[in-house]
Amino acid sequence: MTIPDVLDTAPPRLTPADAERVAADVFGVVGPARALVSERDQNFAVVGERGDGWVLKVANVAEDPGVIEMEVAAVARIAEVDPALPVPLPHPTLDGGPIGRVEIAGSGTHLVRLIALLPGRNARADELTDDNIHAIGTVVAGVGRALRGLFHPAAGRVILWDQQHLPRLFPRGSLVEPGQRRDLLDRVIARFSERVLPALPTLRSQLIHNDVTLDNLLVDAGGNVTGIIDFGDMAHTALVLDIPATLQSLLRERDDLFEVAATFLDGYTSVMPLEETEAQLLGDLLAGRMAQTILISAHRTRQYPDNEYIRGWSEPAWALLAQLEAISLDEAGRRLAAAARRPVRTRRAGGWAVDEELIERRRRVLGSALEPLTYQRPLHLVRGEGAWMFDTRGRGYLDAYNNVPVVGHSHPRVVEAIARQAATLNTNTRYLHENVVELAERLTASMPPGLDTVMFVNSGSEANDLAWRLSTAVTGGDTGLVTDWAYHGVTSAIAAFSPSEWPRGQQPASAETFAAPNTYRGAYAEADDPQRVARHEVSAALGRVEARGRSPAALYLDATFTADGIFLPAAPVVAAIAEGVRNAGALYVADEVQSGYGRTGDGLWGFSAWDVVPDIVTLGKPMGNGHPVAAVITRAEIVDRLASQTSFFSTFGGNPVACAAALAVLDVIEEEQLIDNAGAVGGWLRTAITDLAARHPVIGDVRGRGLMLGVELVTDPDSRQPAGDLAVRIKDEMRERGVLIGTTGRAGNTLKIRPPLSIRRDEAELIATTLDEVLSALES
Ligand code: PMP
């Protein structure tokens, strides 16, 4: 293996006495010299007569003089372009130039420089604050920017610390013992070949420092950078390669990898935004840097088995690689890319734009009726991708709560559909447009025969409100029936059908309730024939309606009984409820706002499980994956009844952009087979949590369909006393560990797990293991 590199030539071997002579004879600086550590040159600290500190740099005999000149030129350029960057300027030789030349007996002719010894010390990664890390990001980017316009012919030399030459090191992989580590290394190399190498020629390239590690940065007591040293690894290469070099050292022995990386990248990109390809390659470049370290170290360890400095390199590199591999190299790459893409945030003196201030502004301007922020420590989220959301510091949270982003946060297909239509035309349904008609056709095609007409609105509440108008127009009734802890929306009519939100003890005249089919406690759970309970519950409720001199117009049913506590009763039980209300002349409104769009893992619509065709279906939340769009789907003759009284028009309802979003959601659900995924991953997760119940007696019941799971907590399994406070603590502890869930049910003691349908099995495992950890911690 022939690799033209000074790494293969032994470093110079001067004694401190030689160094003192050189400093005096060449530079006129007289004082004691002390050897410093270096990979391939020799460095000495020299203290002059006035206490002035210098570093004598004695170059390796194999070093190209052009390279030394390039270093001198680079430092001079940085000082000129950005005087705030602390770089070591050279002491002139007695001849007035920056570089001297000395003959050392037994060693050869060496080029020598005497450069300023900058104040400060090397910091350890774990002592740096967020502000320090951010500042290091700006320093690295600042050095890159200052070097941008510098040309030097020596910059084209081949140096093994330049990742563009990593393939030259690939054969050294054979120096690593076969086994797990070798396999990991091989995977990193394969990814590098596949993803990085083809892109490298297209990346912004220039002269870069290439080694701004914590070994080459000096800091003061507050961790502020006081020196940038060692320009010995400079190369003309991809600008972005400065980042993995620094990150490798910042991430050493840190658990909070992605927070540190995000803080660093925030600093870096505040000076030098990254191009998209650069951002996407960061994960592989970081892994590549580790591979490079391991491969160089393996070879050098053979050459210099006694050099502890070299031997010390590779273990941290392996450790960091293992950390990246633990979450998968793909995921690591996604997170780094996300952090690098993040828009630059405003920073204020003293740190991040603090959340407390935003909380206070929110409180002042959004009023006291708005629901409080979720979690004891509220989240300030700025970005989402797949099943993950990220906070202002780049910390990722696995979203096991939100059902709106049904195909995953910010799904590119949906985003693109919205953007393209918004850039083309957005108007209303009084003009002819393909989108609204196509969407209506696709929705009716997905419904049982008879549900052939669609009316578009903007929210689940509006859909239920319109369903109410239709129901009253058709039946002449004036009362809605709902389960006793239901939620159906916010309009005046529908708030009345949301007992979970009723002011205590105040049942609106237009509403009547019956017990939700609770399969864990109460009449349904205890009865041999829960269908009879259903019939009884409904007829009692209808009796109360009649006793008040009113008549039923509609039954609203959420097929997953989400607010009631998430139940999965047997089909005949729900059929009995629906038929009972229908027989009294009311319509059955299937509220699919929660249970629709594949959530239940067995089809697009949750009501299908009951074998009763609803009169009206309402859709919302997931319909546009976050874009407001909702719909009512019913029979034409029902709409005709409303039409005989009035016409219907909603300004935004069914607009081309909303419909583009909704069409894209249907496409993605189909193409990514998300219903099957919800069934498979949801089934796995339910089993995994059920298994946890064996070790954690506070888990009283695990239930649900697909990716709508309820975990009911009790103080003990026999008394089944609801453990509402525990549920809140678990929810908060899960959040602290990066997994977001909610609570539901009248006593708030049921954990609500309801992730995007695109959630992967390994992500579901994270939900289960985190829940296990949290339960164990709270029990101990
Ligand atoms: N129905 C159900 C079952 C719901 O869960 C909700 C919202 N949580 C709504 C209707 C109302 O939807 P929106 O908030 O979009 O108006």
Side-chain angles (χ1 to χ4, degrees):
M1 177 166 43
T2 55
I3 297 171
D5 198 88
V6 287
L7 288 177
D8 290 332
T9 311
R13 301 227 168 105
L14 272 69
T15 62
D18 293 332
E20 285 164 15
R21 248 189 329 276
V22 172
D25 294 353
V26 181
F27 299 97
V29 172
V30 178
R34 173 171 58 85
L36 302 171
V37 65
S38 171
E39 185 195 344
R40 60 173 180 264
D41 303 321
Q42 229 188 345
N43 295 336
F44 294 89
V46 180
V47 181
E49 284 163 311
R50 291 183 303 279
D52 43 330
W54 301 95
V55 176
L56 180 73
K57 291 184 79 72
V58 184
N60 190 303
V61 279
E63 192 70 273
D64 171 5
V67 169
I68 309 281
E69 283 165 18
M70 174 173 73
E71 284 183 38
V72 170
V75 168
R77 174 61 64 92
I78 293 169
E80 176 195 333
V81 173
D82 192 346
L85 291 170
V87 287
L89 291 165
H91 189 292
T93 63
L94 293 173
D95 298 337
I99 303 168
R101 178 187 283 268
V102 290
E103 200 54 52
I104 306 288
S107 186
T109 306
H110 296 274
L111 297 181
V112 290
R113 281 166 295 157
L114 192 67
I115 60 172
L117 177 72
L118 297 173
R121 62 182 175 92
N122 293 119
R124 284 191 328 273
D126 62 4
E127 66 180 282
L128 296 171
T129 64
D130 280 353
D131 280 344
N132 296 151
I133 293 165
H134 191 274
I136 290 173
T138 64
V139 164
V140 176
V143 170
R145 188 178 55 179
L147 291 176
R148 232 181 197 180
L150 185 64
F151 171 79
H152 197 284
R157 51 103 181 238
V158 173
I159 180 165
L160 292 184
W161 282 114
D162 175 357
Q163 267 199 64
Q164 68 174 310
H165 301 306
L166 183 56
R168 293 171 189 248
L169 294 172
F170 288 169
R172 293 184 183 179
S174 60
L175 296 176
V176 176
E177 291 285 314
Q180 270 182 2
R181 281 189 161 186
R182 172 81 167 272
D183 293 345
L184 173 55
L185 184 64
D186 287 345
R187 275 200 299 286
V188 169
I189 286 175
R191 286 178 65 97
F192 193 89
S193 303
E194 203 176 295
R195 293 170 48 91
V196 179
L197 289 180
L200 264 175
T202 69
L203 301 184
R204 292 183 286 178
S205 294
Q206 60 165 76
L207 189 62
I208 68 167
H209 182 290
N210 198 30
D211 197 25
V212 190
T213 62
L214 290 182
D215 286 337
N216 293 332
L217 281 175
L218 300 170
V219 297
D220 65 15
N224 307 301
V225 175
T226 55
I228 306 153
I229 59 174
D230 193 352
F231 287 71
D233 288 328
M234 284 199 306
H236 184 281
T237 189
L239 171 63
V240 68
L241 289 173
D242 266 332
I243 294 178
T246 307
L247 271 186
Q248 178 184 26
S249 102
L250 288 179
L251 300 181
R252 190 167 167 161
E253 288 172 29
R254 303 260 331 203
D255 299 330
D256 48 352
L257 293 192
F258 295 98
E259 288 166 56
V260 172
T263 306
F264 169 81
L265 287 168
D266 194 50
Y268 188 98
T269 54
S270 70
V271 175
M272 179 85 74
L274 289 190
E275 292 181 354
E276 179 55 25
T277 314
E278 294 169 330
Q280 280 177 13
L281 290 178
L282 278 179
D284 286 302
L285 294 174
L286 183 58
R289 175 81 185 187
M290 252 85 75
Q292 194 177 19
T293 305
I294 288 162
L295 293 169
I296 291 176
S297 168
H299 182 62
R300 297 275 280 170
T301 305
R302 289 226 160 168
Q303 276 181 308
Y304 308 104
D306 301 333
N307 189 327
E308 284 300 319
Y309 176 62
I310 294 168
R311 288 162 68 87
W313 292 344
S314 72
E315 277 315 311
W318 282 117
L320 188 47
L321 259 192
Q323 275 176 291
L324 297 182
E325 168 89 342
I327 64 151
S328 90
L329 296 173
D330 273 334
E331 181 60 25
R334 275 197 291 271
R335 293 199 199 173
L336 289 173
R341 265 186 227 123
R342 198 173 29 155
V344 176
R345 301 188 303 275
T346 22
R347 285 171 53 80
R348 319 229 163 127
W352 306 103
V354 263
D355 286 344
E356 275 69 31
E357 186 200 313
L358 192 57
I359 290 171
E360 177 51 24
R361 282 169 52 208
R362 174 188 189 271
R363 190 198 61 75
R364 243 184 273 141
V365 77
L366 297 183
S368 54
L370 179 62
E371 288 212 338
L373 291 161
T374 311
Y375 305 114
Q376 180 141 23
R377 218 147 60 94
L379 284 167
H380 183 172
L381 301 167
V382 290
R383 207 183 64 76
E385 187 178 341
W388 293 83
M389 294 197 285
F390 300 86
D391 70 9
T392 49
R393 298 176 152 217
R395 178 171 183 198
Y397 296 85
L398 179 59
D399 184 358
Y401 178 76
N402 287 289
N403 61 339
V404 171
V406 69
V407 298
H409 286 277
S410 305
H411 193 292
R413 265 297 278 287
V414 183
V415 171
E416 211 247 358
I418 294 170
R420 185 157 0 128
Q421 187 58 49
T424 310
L425 174 73
N426 200 11
T427 179
N428 65 66
T429 49
R430 280 193 291 232
Y431 303 106
L432 205 51
H433 201 279
E434 196 67 50
N435 286 9
V436 67
V437 178
E438 184 188 338
L439 178 59
E441 286 170 349
R442 283 177 68 175
L443 288 173
T444 53
S446 75
M447 294 282 162
L451 294 171
D452 53 12
T453 305
V454 187
M455 299 171 84
F456 288 101
V457 286
N458 309 288
S459 68
S461 300
E462 269 189 79
N464 283 333
D465 197 83
L466 181 55
W468 181 240
R469 288 182 69 191
L470 292 166
S471 302
T472 51
V474 169
T475 65
D478 56 9
T479 305
L481 277 89
V482 289
T483 51
D484 56 1
W485 202 252
Y487 182 81
H488 292 286
V490 295
T491 68
S492 198
I494 301 302
F497 303 151
S498 301
S500 58
E501 303 293 311
W502 287 349
R504 203 170 281 276
Q506 292 178 29
Q507 177 175 340
S510 61
E512 190 46 71
T513 64
F514 58 94
N518 186 334
T519 47
Y520 181 60
R521 60 173 84 241
Y524 289 98
E526 286 153 20
D528 297 335
D529 180 2
Q531 245 173 290
R532 248 190 45 213
V533 178
R535 281 195 295 270
H536 169 77
E537 278 292 330
V538 168
S539 78
L542 289 168
R544 290 191 293 274
V545 173
E546 203 184 332
R548 286 196 270 128
R550 301 178 69 99
S551 61
L555 160 74
Y556 283 81
L557 270 190
D558 163 4
T560 43
F561 302 94
T562 318
D564 288 291
I566 305 174
F567 302 115
L568 176 53
V573 173
V574 186
I577 295 171
E579 295 305 342
V581 181
R582 250 188 188 159
N583 291 340
L587 301 189
Y588 161 29
V589 180
D591 179 342
E592 289 287 324
V593 171
Q594 290 280 349
S595 58
Y597 278 90
R599 168 76 32 202
T600 51
D602 46 12
L604 260 185
W605 312 118
F607 66 76
S608 324
W610 319 134
D611 299 326
V612 183
V613 177
D615 300 294
I616 301 176
V617 178
T618 56
L619 310 180
K621 282 187 187 244
M623 189 171 177
N625 206 49
H627 194 87
V629 48
V632 170
I633 302 167
T634 185
R635 299 192 295 277
E637 84 252 16
I638 290 178
V639 178
D640 292 345
R641 290 293 285 275
L642 185 69
S644 69
Q645 300 169 3
T646 181
S647 64
F648 174 80
F649 172 72
S650 160
T651 304
F652 293 138
N655 74 68
V657 175
C659 292
L663 286 166
V665 168
L666 288 174
D667 286 343
V668 176
I669 288 177
E670 228 170 88
E671 283 163 25
E672 297 185 8
Q673 300 173 3
L674 293 183
I675 300 177
D676 289 348
N677 192 62
V681 177
W684 180 88
L685 184 56
R686 188 147 57 93
T687 309
I689 298 175
T690 306
D691 290 346
L692 291 185
R695 273 181 290 125
H696 303 288
V698 292
I699 298 183
D701 194 27
V702 183
R703 54 187 182 243
R705 292 165 69 186
L707 283 169
M708 173 70 85
L709 296 178
V711 182
E712 180 153 357
L713 303 172
V714 290
T715 53
D716 84 88
D718 295 328
S719 74
R720 298 193 174 184
Q721 197 63 25
D725 291 348
L726 179 67
V728 172
R729 277 166 62 208
I730 290 173
K731 181 178 78 168
D732 278 314
E733 275 303 312
M734 296 280 285
R735 171 250 182 263
E736 293 301 321
R737 287 162 206 245
V739 177
L740 306 183
I741 61 167
T743 55
T744 186
R746 188 189 283 270
N749 66 322
T750 297
L751 303 177
K752 179 164 62 175
I753 300 180
R754 192 186 50 176
L757 305 190
S758 56
I759 191 168
R760 296 189 314 256
R761 162 72 185 273
D762 60 313
E763 292 165 336
E765 280 172 29
L766 186 61
I767 300 174
T769 53
T770 309
L771 181 59
D772 190 13
E773 272 172 38
V774 166
L775 285 167
S776 303
L778 290 178
E779 281 156 6
S780 64

Short mmCIF file of all heavy atoms in Angstrom, two decimals, residues 41-80:
data_model
loop_
_atom_site.label_atom_id
_atom_site.label_comp_id
_atom_site.label_asym_id
_atom_site.label_seq_id
_atom_site.Cartn_x
_atom_site.Cartn_y
_atom_site.Cartn_z
N ASP A 41 4.71 16.52 13.36
CA ASP A 41 5.76 17.54 13.42
C ASP A 41 6.35 17.50 14.82
O ASP A 41 6.11 16.57 15.57
CB ASP A 41 5.17 18.92 13.17
CG ASP A 41 4.45 18.98 11.83
OD1 ASP A 41 4.94 18.38 10.87
OD2 ASP A 41 3.38 19.62 11.77
N GLN A 42 7.08 18.54 15.15
CA GLN A 42 7.50 18.65 16.55
C GLN A 42 7.24 20.09 16.98
O GLN A 42 7.58 21.04 16.26
CB GLN A 42 8.98 18.29 16.68
CG GLN A 42 9.21 17.30 17.80
CD GLN A 42 10.68 17.08 18.07
OE1 GLN A 42 11.54 17.44 17.27
NE2 GLN A 42 10.98 16.49 19.21
N ASN A 43 6.62 20.24 18.11
CA ASN A 43 6.30 21.57 18.61
C ASN A 43 6.91 21.76 19.99
O ASN A 43 6.95 20.83 20.80
CB ASN A 43 4.77 21.75 18.74
CG ASN A 43 4.09 21.71 17.38
OD1 ASN A 43 4.71 22.00 16.35
ND2 ASN A 43 2.82 21.35 17.38
N PHE A 44 7.37 22.99 20.22
CA PHE A 44 7.91 23.32 21.56
C PHE A 44 7.31 24.64 22.01
O PHE A 44 7.15 25.56 21.21
CB PHE A 44 9.44 23.50 21.49
CG PHE A 44 10.17 22.23 21.15
CD1 PHE A 44 10.40 21.89 19.82
CD2 PHE A 44 10.61 21.38 22.16
CE1 PHE A 44 11.07 20.72 19.50
CE2 PHE A 44 11.29 20.21 21.84
CZ PHE A 44 11.51 19.86 20.50
N ALA A 45 6.98 24.70 23.29
CA ALA A 45 6.59 26.00 23.86
C ALA A 45 7.88 26.71 24.25
O ALA A 45 8.75 26.10 24.89
CB ALA A 45 5.71 25.79 25.08
N VAL A 46 8.00 27.97 23.84
CA VAL A 46 9.21 28.74 24.17
C VAL A 46 8.77 30.02 24.87
O VAL A 46 7.84 30.69 24.40
CB VAL A 46 10.00 29.11 22.89
CG1 VAL A 46 11.24 29.92 23.24
CG2 VAL A 46 10.36 27.86 22.09
N VAL A 47 9.41 30.31 26.00
CA VAL A 47 9.06 31.54 26.71
C VAL A 47 10.21 32.53 26.56
O VAL A 47 11.36 32.23 26.93
CB VAL A 47 8.78 31.27 28.20
CG1 VAL A 47 8.39 32.55 28.92
CG2 VAL A 47 7.69 30.22 28.35
N GLY A 48 9.91 33.68 25.96
CA GLY A 48 10.95 34.68 25.71
C GLY A 48 11.34 35.43 26.98
O GLY A 48 10.75 35.23 28.04
N GLU A 49 12.29 36.33 26.80
CA GLU A 49 12.86 37.01 27.99
C GLU A 49 11.84 37.93 28.67
O GLU A 49 11.91 38.17 29.85
CB GLU A 49 14.09 37.82 27.57
CG GLU A 49 15.29 36.94 27.35
CD GLU A 49 16.38 37.65 26.57
OE1 GLU A 49 16.06 38.25 25.50
OE2 GLU A 49 17.53 37.62 27.02
N ARG A 50 10.88 38.44 27.89
CA ARG A 50 9.88 39.33 28.49
C ARG A 50 8.65 38.55 28.95
O ARG A 50 7.59 39.12 29.16
CB ARG A 50 9.47 40.40 27.48
CG ARG A 50 10.59 41.40 27.18
CD ARG A 50 10.11 42.49 26.24
NE ARG A 50 9.58 41.97 24.99
CZ ARG A 50 10.34 41.60 23.95
NH1 ARG A 50 11.67 41.71 24.04
NH2 ARG A 50 9.81 41.13 22.87
N GLY A 51 8.79 37.23 29.03
CA GLY A 51 7.65 36.40 29.43
C GLY A 51 6.71 36.14 28.26
O GLY A 51 5.62 35.59 28.43
N ASP A 52 7.12 36.58 27.04
CA ASP A 52 6.30 36.37 25.85
C ASP A 52 6.32 34.89 25.46
O ASP A 52 7.37 34.26 25.45
CB ASP A 52 6.80 37.25 24.70
CG ASP A 52 8.33 37.25 24.58
OD1 ASP A 52 9.01 37.08 25.63
OD2 ASP A 52 8.84 37.38 23.46
N GLY A 53 5.13 34.35 25.17
CA GLY A 53 5.03 32.91 24.87
C GLY A 53 4.97 32.64 23.37
O GLY A 53 4.27 33.35 22.63
N TRP A 54 5.66 31.61 22.95
CA TRP A 54 5.71 31.26 21.53
C TRP A 54 5.65 29.74 21.37
O TRP A 54 5.94 29.00 22.29
CB TRP A 54 7.01 31.78 20.88
CG TRP A 54 7.13 33.27 21.01
CD1 TRP A 54 7.80 33.94 21.97
CD2 TRP A 54 6.52 34.23 20.16
NE1 TRP A 54 7.67 35.30 21.80
CE2 TRP A 54 6.89 35.51 20.67
CE3 TRP A 54 5.72 34.18 19.01
CZ2 TRP A 54 6.46 36.70 20.08
CZ3 TRP A 54 5.31 35.36 18.43
CH2 TRP A 54 5.67 36.60 18.96
N VAL A 55 5.30 29.34 20.18
CA VAL A 55 5.39 27.91 19.85
C VAL A 55 6.35 27.78 18.68
O VAL A 55 6.14 28.38 17.63
CB VAL A 55 4.01 27.32 19.47
CG1 VAL A 55 4.17 25.85 19.05
CG2 VAL A 55 3.03 27.43 20.61
N LEU A 56 7.39 26.98 18.90
CA LEU A 56 8.33 26.70 17.81
C LEU A 56 7.81 25.47 17.09
O LEU A 56 7.63 24.41 17.69
CB LEU A 56 9.73 26.44 18.37
CG LEU A 56 10.77 26.12 17.29
CD1 LEU A 56 11.15 27.38 16.51
CD2 LEU A 56 12.02 25.49 17.90
N LYS A 57 7.53 25.64 15.83
CA LYS A 57 7.01 24.51 15.05
C LYS A 57 8.10 24.02 14.11
O LYS A 57 8.57 24.76 13.24
CB LYS A 57 5.78 24.93 14.23
CG LYS A 57 4.57 25.22 15.11
CD LYS A 57 3.34 25.53 14.29
CE LYS A 57 2.67 24.30 13.73
NZ LYS A 57 1.99 23.49 14.73
N VAL A 58 8.50 22.79 14.31
CA VAL A 58 9.55 22.19 13.49
C VAL A 58 8.88 21.19 12.56
O VAL A 58 8.28 20.21 13.00
CB VAL A 58 10.59 21.46 14.38
CG1 VAL A 58 11.74 20.93 13.53
CG2 VAL A 58 11.09 22.38 15.48
N ALA A 59 8.95 21.48 11.26
CA ALA A 59 8.20 20.64 10.32
C ALA A 59 8.90 19.32 10.07
O ALA A 59 10.13 19.21 10.14
CB ALA A 59 8.02 21.40 9.01
N ASN A 60 8.12 18.34 9.77
CA ASN A 60 8.59 17.03 9.33
C ASN A 60 9.44 17.22 8.07
O ASN A 60 9.10 18.04 7.21
CB ASN A 60 7.32 16.22 9.00
CG ASN A 60 7.59 14.77 8.75
OD1 ASN A 60 8.37 14.44 7.88
ND2 ASN A 60 6.93 13.92 9.52
N VAL A 61 10.55 16.46 7.94
CA VAL A 61 11.42 16.65 6.76
C VAL A 61 10.67 16.38 5.47
O VAL A 61 10.99 16.91 4.42
CB VAL A 61 12.67 15.72 6.78
CG1 VAL A 61 13.75 16.29 7.65
CG2 VAL A 61 12.31 14.30 7.17
N ALA A 62 9.64 15.54 5.55
CA ALA A 62 8.90 15.20 4.33
C ALA A 62 7.89 16.27 3.95
O ALA A 62 7.25 16.19 2.91
CB ALA A 62 8.18 13.86 4.51
N GLU A 63 7.72 17.27 4.82
CA GLU A 63 6.70 18.28 4.56
C GLU A 63 7.09 19.13 3.36
O GLU A 63 8.23 19.57 3.22
CB GLU A 63 6.52 19.16 5.81
CG GLU A 63 5.32 20.06 5.78
CD GLU A 63 4.00 19.29 5.90
OE1 GLU A 63 3.49 18.84 4.86
OE2 GLU A 63 3.51 19.14 7.04
N ASP A 64 6.11 19.36 2.52
CA ASP A 64 6.30 20.21 1.34
C ASP A 64 6.40 21.67 1.82
O ASP A 64 5.52 22.15 2.53
CB ASP A 64 5.07 20.00 0.45
CG ASP A 64 5.02 20.97 -0.72
OD1 ASP A 64 5.98 21.75 -0.89
OD2 ASP A 64 4.00 20.92 -1.44
N PRO A 65 7.48 22.38 1.45
CA PRO A 65 7.60 23.78 1.90
C PRO A 65 6.38 24.60 1.48
O PRO A 65 5.97 25.52 2.17
CB PRO A 65 8.86 24.28 1.19
CG PRO A 65 9.61 23.05 0.79
CD PRO A 65 8.62 21.94 0.64
N GLY A 66 5.79 24.21 0.37
CA GLY A 66 4.60 24.93 -0.09
C GLY A 66 3.47 24.84 0.94
O GLY A 66 2.70 25.78 1.12
N VAL A 67 3.39 23.72 1.61
CA VAL A 67 2.33 23.53 2.60
C VAL A 67 2.52 24.47 3.79
O VAL A 67 1.58 25.06 4.30
CB VAL A 67 2.28 22.05 3.06
CG1 VAL A 67 1.38 21.88 4.28
CG2 VAL A 67 1.81 21.16 1.91
N ILE A 68 3.80 24.63 4.18
CA ILE A 68 4.08 25.55 5.29
C ILE A 68 3.73 26.98 4.87
O ILE A 68 3.11 27.74 5.61
CB ILE A 68 5.58 25.48 5.69
CG1 ILE A 68 6.00 24.03 5.92
CG2 ILE A 68 5.86 26.38 6.88
CD1 ILE A 68 5.61 23.45 7.23
N GLU A 69 4.08 27.31 3.65
CA GLU A 69 3.74 28.67 3.16
C GLU A 69 2.23 28.86 3.14
O GLU A 69 1.72 29.93 3.46
CB GLU A 69 4.26 28.86 1.72
CG GLU A 69 5.74 29.10 1.63
CD GLU A 69 6.24 28.92 0.19
OE1 GLU A 69 5.40 28.96 -0.74
OE2 GLU A 69 7.45 28.72 0.01
N MET A 70 1.55 27.79 2.77
CA MET A 70 0.09 27.88 2.73
C MET A 70 -0.49 28.14 4.12
O MET A 70 -1.40 28.94 4.29
CB MET A 70 -0.48 26.57 2.16
CG MET A 70 -1.98 26.47 2.20
SD MET A 70 -2.55 24.99 1.35
CE MET A 70 -2.08 23.71 2.50
N GLU A 71 0.06 27.47 5.12
CA GLU A 71 -0.42 27.68 6.49
C GLU A 71 -0.22 29.13 6.91
O GLU A 71 -1.10 29.76 7.50
CB GLU A 71 0.33 26.77 7.47
CG GLU A 71 -0.11 25.34 7.42
CD GLU A 71 0.60 24.50 8.47
OE1 GLU A 71 0.82 25.01 9.59
OE2 GLU A 71 0.97 23.35 8.15
N VAL A 72 0.97 29.64 6.57
CA VAL A 72 1.28 31.03 6.93
C VAL A 72 0.29 31.97 6.23
O VAL A 72 -0.26 32.90 6.84
CB VAL A 72 2.74 31.36 6.55
CG1 VAL A 72 3.01 32.84 6.67
CG2 VAL A 72 3.71 30.55 7.41
N ALA A 73 0.04 31.66 4.97
CA ALA A 73 -0.87 32.52 4.20
C ALA A 73 -2.29 32.45 4.76
O ALA A 73 -3.02 33.45 4.83
CB ALA A 73 -0.87 32.09 2.74
N ALA A 74 -2.70 31.26 5.19
CA ALA A 74 -4.06 31.09 5.70
C ALA A 74 -4.27 31.88 6.99
O ALA A 74 -5.27 32.58 7.15
CB ALA A 74 -4.33 29.61 5.95
N VAL A 75 -3.29 31.78 7.88
CA VAL A 75 -3.42 32.50 9.15
C VAL A 75 -3.47 34.00 8.89
O VAL A 75 -4.29 34.73 9.47
CB VAL A 75 -2.26 32.10 10.10
CG1 VAL A 75 -2.20 33.03 11.28
CG2 VAL A 75 -2.42 30.66 10.53
N ALA A 76 -2.61 34.44 7.98
CA ALA A 76 -2.59 35.88 7.67
C ALA A 76 -3.94 36.30 7.08
O ALA A 76 -4.49 37.36 7.42
CB ALA A 76 -1.46 36.17 6.68
N ARG A 77 -4.52 35.45 6.22
CA ARG A 77 -5.78 35.79 5.59
C ARG A 77 -6.92 35.86 6.62
O ARG A 77 -7.75 36.77 6.61
CB ARG A 77 -6.11 34.77 4.50
CG ARG A 77 -7.48 34.94 3.86
CD ARG A 77 -7.65 36.29 3.16
NE ARG A 77 -6.75 36.47 2.04
CZ ARG A 77 -7.04 36.16 0.78
NH1 ARG A 77 -8.21 35.66 0.48
NH2 ARG A 77 -6.17 36.35 -0.18
N ILE A 78 -6.93 34.90 7.52
CA ILE A 78 -8.00 34.90 8.54
C ILE A 78 -7.91 36.17 9.40
O ILE A 78 -8.91 36.83 9.65
CB ILE A 78 -7.91 33.63 9.42
CG1 ILE A 78 -8.23 32.39 8.58
CG2 ILE A 78 -8.87 33.72 10.61
CD1 ILE A 78 -7.92 31.08 9.26
N ALA A 79 -6.68 36.49 9.80
CA ALA A 79 -6.50 37.68 10.64
C ALA A 79 -6.95 38.94 9.90
O ALA A 79 -7.49 39.87 10.50
CB ALA A 79 -5.03 37.80 11.06
N GLU A 80 -6.75 38.93 8.60
CA GLU A 80 -7.10 40.10 7.79
C GLU A 80 -8.63 40.20 7.60
O GLU A 80 -9.23 41.25 7.80
CB GLU A 80 -6.40 39.96 6.44
CG GLU A 80 -6.72 41.04 5.44
CD GLU A 80 -6.27 40.61 4.03
OE1 GLU A 80 -5.32 39.81 3.91
OE2 GLU A 80 -6.91 41.08 3.07
#
